[in-house]
């Protein structure tokens, strides 16, 4: 347990790149929504960095009504769609249907097309239900999400048929596809009968009563002049114009609905609704419903940036980036600052700054489970503690210490007790205690570490203003003693992140210090075991300079550094200690970028933190950006 040197512990009373065009939401943080509502084909959406799946909603257009009947309702398709970084999706949004016209289908495609809404090119044969069952030679239908349109209404003052709704009932084969609902007959002796994609219209010829459009293989066998045109992949059939009382056109869809029959005595039949489709077995959480709100056709794509963690193994290989939960953070939003420490049981403790400015702690257990985020208690019974920056360090016996810059510009620390700290309960806190920087400096950044001799160190940056000039300086404290200013940094003094890495062996090479200056350059020095410093020097820099930095000391005397460059790429480096033969003491491995999601590309991040998880492995957490 920690106690301040010389006094008793007391509890006081008191860059990211822009999101895809057309998207709303914070760039590189939290939830982003992209709405495609303007009509047009092949509108491009590019999957941003660090996004592995999209939530998609496609809404097909309702069919056009007439003076005596309504058009059918379009479909609404929702799904979770797996994607890869940089993948391009092509969006089709139809125009609103004209009177009696079929509603257009809303499509998401893997490739751009020039065939309009005609996709018959991609299919050679059809099964008994009229579903395209065999692809054309060398052709693959590019559509992965299709929300069918409603059928158009028939025309005429004497009871024209209503358009059929787009299909919503999922079929077993092929997965996630549906057929449209029938258009209705015009009023007459046949009443409101089934047609369209749910049954045959058995009328033949230009009969007095307009029939609904039939499905592909069940359509009437009449003389062809009275029947509406058949639907084809993508496009609804035209309504029959055998008389002035024309049938409604079929809605567009995976397979378009058939056009309705004309009427002579009474109104024309409604067009059949188009069918819908969603990715086959690749999609998750698929829902195909009738869009009862009869919204304008559109496609909505949303995604959520999350913190991701990754393990670096002892042999230097990297695991998979896995998403960390946001549960417990304000509005489930992305943290704006993170720190981490590895515990002796193999778990990792994280502290994050929420979008509300307060700090939250989460546990990542050794079995891979997470605790969720919980607010750090405040000072004097306050429910929260907020400020510019925080750090967390394992101090042994299952205990950790959170050190934070408070809103008052002081450095505060609070010990979290582990399972071996009787009479304290596991997860209890000691309460906050403050330390002040010299000369009235206002703290802005903080980093902490403990070395192999159980010495607890705090490094902080702080600002002072004199004569209208603000100066940033770096300060250092050992075992909670008074801060002293660190000398030797260049005039472009540290304004970026700072990092400490204390080695965890008694014969290690001391505590590593690193800072980022105002030019994005990393400076490094070492506090040697005898209490002297090596002096500040610039090691090799990550490509493009550094924006964020963290470090951790390892049990073999090494120090591992994690940084983000000016374009957000995550880089890793090792400063070898005296026990890392064949590497010489004090040499560097060089900056390397671990692979990104699914081991492709690189990982783009805002904030980063790194923790020693035992057995010479580390875990990095990064707040993903685009």
């Amino acid at each position: 347990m920690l106690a301040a040197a010389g006094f008793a512990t007391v509890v006081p009373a008191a860059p990211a790149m822009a999101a895809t065009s057309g998207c709303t939401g914070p760039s590189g943080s939290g939830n982003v929504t992209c709405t495609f509502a303007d009509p047009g084909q092949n509108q491009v959406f590019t999957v941003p960095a660090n996004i592995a799946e999209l939530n998609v909603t496609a809404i097909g257009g309702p069919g056009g009504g007439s003076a005596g009947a309504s058009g059918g309702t379009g479909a609404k398709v929702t799904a979770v769609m797996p994607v890869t970084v940089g993948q391009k999706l092509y969006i089709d949004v139809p125009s609103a249907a004209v009177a009696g016209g079929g509603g257009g289908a809303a499509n998401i495609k893997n490739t751009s097309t020039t065939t309009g809404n005609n996709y018959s090119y991609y299919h050679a044969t059809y099964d008994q239900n009229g579903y395209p069952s065999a692809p054309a030679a060398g052709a693959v239908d590019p559509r992965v999400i299709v929300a069918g349109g409603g059928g158009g209404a028939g025309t005429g003052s004497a009871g024209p048929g209503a358009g059929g709704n787009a299909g919503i009932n999922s079929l077993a084969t092929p997965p996630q596809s549906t057929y449209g609902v029938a258009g209705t007959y015009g009023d007459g002796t046949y009443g409101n009968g089934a047609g369209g994609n749910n049954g045959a219209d058995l009328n033949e010829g230009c009969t007095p009563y307009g029939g609904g459009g039939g499905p592909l293989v069940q359509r009437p066998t009449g003389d062809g002049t009275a029947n509406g045109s058949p639907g084809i992949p993508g496009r609804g059939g035209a309504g029959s114009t055998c008389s002035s009382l024309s049938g409604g056109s079929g809605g567009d869809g995976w397979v378009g609905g058939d056009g309705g029959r004309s009427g002579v005595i009474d109104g024309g039949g409604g067009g059949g609704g188009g069918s819908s489709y969603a990715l086959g077995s690749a999609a998750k959480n698929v829902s195909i419903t009738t869009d009862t709100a009869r919204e304008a056709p559109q496609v909505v794509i949303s995604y959520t940036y999350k913190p991701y963690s990754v393990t670096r193994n002892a042999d230097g290989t990297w695991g998979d980036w896995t998403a960390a939960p946001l549960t417990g953070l304000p509005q489930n939003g992305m943290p704006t600052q993170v720190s981490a420490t590895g515990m002796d049981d193999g778990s990792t403790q994280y502290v994050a700054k929420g979008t509300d400015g307060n700090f939250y702690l989460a546990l990542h257990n050794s079995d891979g489970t997470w605790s969720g985020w919980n607010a750090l208690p405040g000072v004097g019974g306050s429910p929260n503690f907020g400020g510019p920056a925080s750090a967390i360090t394992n101090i042994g016996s299952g205990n950790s210490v959170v050190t934070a810059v408070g809103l008052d510009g002081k450095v505060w620390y609070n010990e979290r007790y582990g399972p071996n700290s009787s009479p304290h309960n596991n997860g209890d806190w000691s309460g906050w205690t403050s330390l002040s920087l010299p000369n009235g400096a206002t703290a802005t950044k903080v980093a902490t570490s403990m070395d192999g001799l159980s010495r607890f160190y705090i490094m902080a940056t702080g600002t002072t203003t004199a004569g209208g000039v603000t100066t940033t300086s770096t300060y250092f404290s050992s075992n909670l003693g008074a801060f002293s200013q660190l000398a030797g940094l260049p005039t472009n003094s540290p304004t970026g992140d700072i990092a400490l890495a204390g080695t965890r062996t008694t014969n290690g090479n001391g505590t590593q210090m690193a800072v980022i200056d105002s030019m994005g350059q990393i400076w490094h020095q070492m506090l040697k075991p005898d209490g002297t410093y090596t002096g500040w020097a610039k090691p090799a820099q990550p490509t493009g300079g550094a924006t964020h930095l963290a470090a951790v000391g390892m049990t073999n005397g090494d120090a591992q550094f994690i940084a983000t460059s000016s374009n957000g790429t995550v880089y890793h480096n090792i400063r070898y200690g005296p026990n890392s033969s064949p590497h010489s003491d004090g040499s560097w491995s060089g900056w390397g970028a671990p692979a990104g999601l699914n081991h492709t590309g690189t990982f783009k991040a805002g904030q980063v933190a790194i923790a020693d998880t035992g057995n010479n492995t580390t875990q990095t957490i990064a707040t993903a950006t685009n």
Side-chain angles (χ1 to χ4, degrees):
M1 300 179 189
L2 287 179
F7 58 87
T9 300
V10 296
V11 179
M17 297 167 59
T20 301
S21 177
C23 301
T24 60
S27 177
S29 177
N31 302 313
V32 179
T33 300
C34 311
T35 301
F36 296 84
D38 295 331
Q41 288 197 318
N42 298 319
Q43 302 178 58
V44 179
F45 173 86
T46 303
V47 178
N50 303 329
I51 297 299
E53 61 184 23
L54 304 173
N55 299 305
V56 299
T57 299
I59 300 175
S66 66
S70 61
T73 299
K76 176 182 282 189
V77 178
T78 62
V80 177
M81 180 177 174
V83 291
T84 57
V85 173
Q87 178 181 350
K88 292 185 183 298
L89 300 175
Y90 297 85
I91 313 300
D92 294 342
V93 178
S95 299
V98 299
N107 302 322
I108 301 176
K109 305 175 299 189
N110 275 327
T111 60
S112 62
T113 56
T114 58
T115 58
N117 59 350
N118 183 350
Y119 290 87
S120 58
Y121 163 80
Y122 299 97
H123 302 278
T125 61
Y126 304 90
D127 64 20
Q128 70 274 15
N129 295 311
Y131 183 88
S133 59
V140 177
D141 196 317
R143 296 172 297 169
V144 291
I145 298 286
V146 179
T155 61
S157 60
N165 293 338
I168 62 172
N169 298 314
S170 180
L171 299 178
T173 304
Q176 320 297 6
S177 65
T178 67
Y179 290 95
V181 178
T184 62
Y185 290 107
D187 286 349
T189 59
Y190 292 100
N192 292 324
N197 286 331
N198 274 353
D201 171 9
L202 300 180
N203 294 301
E204 298 179 9
C206 192
T207 63
Y209 309 107
L216 286 172
V217 298
Q218 295 179 349
R219 67 173 53 89
T221 58
D223 59 15
T225 60
N227 303 327
S229 299
I232 61 174
R235 188 170 66 191
S240 170
T241 56
C242 177
S243 75
S244 62
L245 306 178
S246 59
S249 295
D252 294 345
W254 176 253
V255 178
D258 291 350
R261 284 173 174 268
S262 296
V264 176
I265 299 175
D266 294 313
S275 59
S276 302
Y277 178 72
L279 274 172
S281 59
K284 299 186 295 184
N285 303 331
V286 173
S287 171
I288 304 177
T289 60
T290 300
D291 180 36
T292 55
R294 298 181 68 89
E295 301 169 78
Q298 59 188 284
V299 170
V300 179
I301 296 175
S302 64
Y303 51 93
T304 301
Y305 286 105
K306 300 177 181 179
Y308 279 81
S309 65
V310 64
T311 296
R312 185 183 186 275
N313 302 308
D315 62 2
T317 59
W318 293 81
D320 297 319
W321 290 94
T322 58
L326 296 173
T327 305
L329 291 172
Q331 292 81 48
N332 289 333
M334 176 71 76
T336 59
Q337 191 257 339
V338 291
S339 57
T341 190
M343 304 303 292
D344 296 339
D345 63 358
S347 66
T348 306
Q349 296 186 10
Y350 296 104
V351 172
K353 180 179 176 181
T355 55
D356 61 353
N358 295 317
F359 296 112
Y360 296 79
L361 181 137
L363 307 181
H364 191 188
N365 301 309
S366 58
D367 62 2
T369 59
W370 288 81
S371 67
W373 298 91
N374 294 283
L376 268 64
V379 175
S382 170
N384 301 101
F385 189 97
S390 69
I392 185 169
T393 292
N394 173 13
I395 60 170
S397 299
N399 300 345
S400 59
V401 171
V402 174
T403 307
V405 176
L407 297 175
D408 57 2
K410 295 181 179 180
V411 175
W412 295 77
Y413 65 90
N414 196 350
E415 183 172 355
R416 183 182 187 276
Y417 297 115
N420 306 312
S421 297
S422 179
H424 305 289
N425 294 320
N426 185 21
D428 285 349
W429 296 87
S430 67
W432 291 99
T433 301
S434 66
L435 299 171
S436 296
L437 299 183
N439 305 317
T442 299
T444 56
K445 300 276 187 178
V446 67
T448 59
S449 185
M450 178 169 279
D451 68 8
L453 299 177
S454 298
R455 292 176 294 199
F456 181 72
Y457 297 121
I458 305 175
M459 184 165 66
T461 53
T463 59
T464 55
T465 301
V469 177
T470 298
T471 302
T472 302
S473 303
T474 307
Y475 303 89
F476 190 70
S477 167
S478 175
N479 288 330
L480 304 177
F483 281 97
S484 58
Q485 185 172 339
L486 291 172
L489 283 168
T491 54
N492 51 340
S493 56
T495 57
D497 284 354
I498 57 178
L500 277 180
T503 57
R504 301 290 292 276
T505 61
T506 56
N507 65 338
N509 59 350
T511 297
Q512 315 294 320
M513 303 178 176
V515 302
I516 300 176
D517 68 18
S518 59
M519 303 298 290
Q521 299 293 293
I522 297 174
W523 292 78
H524 168 270
Q525 76 168 354
M526 183 179 66
L527 172 62
K528 296 187 289 187
D530 63 5
T532 61
Y533 295 94
T534 60
W536 294 101
K538 283 199 300 183
Q541 304 292 313
T543 302
T547 55
H548 295 285
L549 178 69
V552 64
M554 307 300 293
T555 55
N556 64 352
D558 294 348
Q560 295 192 23
F561 293 81
I562 201 82
T564 57
S565 68
S566 57
N567 71 353
T569 301
V570 173
Y571 284 93
H572 174 268
N573 203 350
I574 302 174
R575 186 185 188 278
Y576 294 112
N579 307 311
S580 293
S581 178
H583 306 289
S584 58
D585 185 12
S587 64
W588 295 78
S589 67
W591 295 100
L597 293 183
N598 302 315
H599 294 276
T600 60
T602 58
F603 195 90
K604 300 293 181 67
Q607 299 284 334
V608 288
I610 187 170
D612 174 11
T613 49
N615 300 316
N616 208 30
T617 65
T618 57
Q619 188 170 97
T620 293
I621 189 169
T623 57
T625 71
N626 63 346

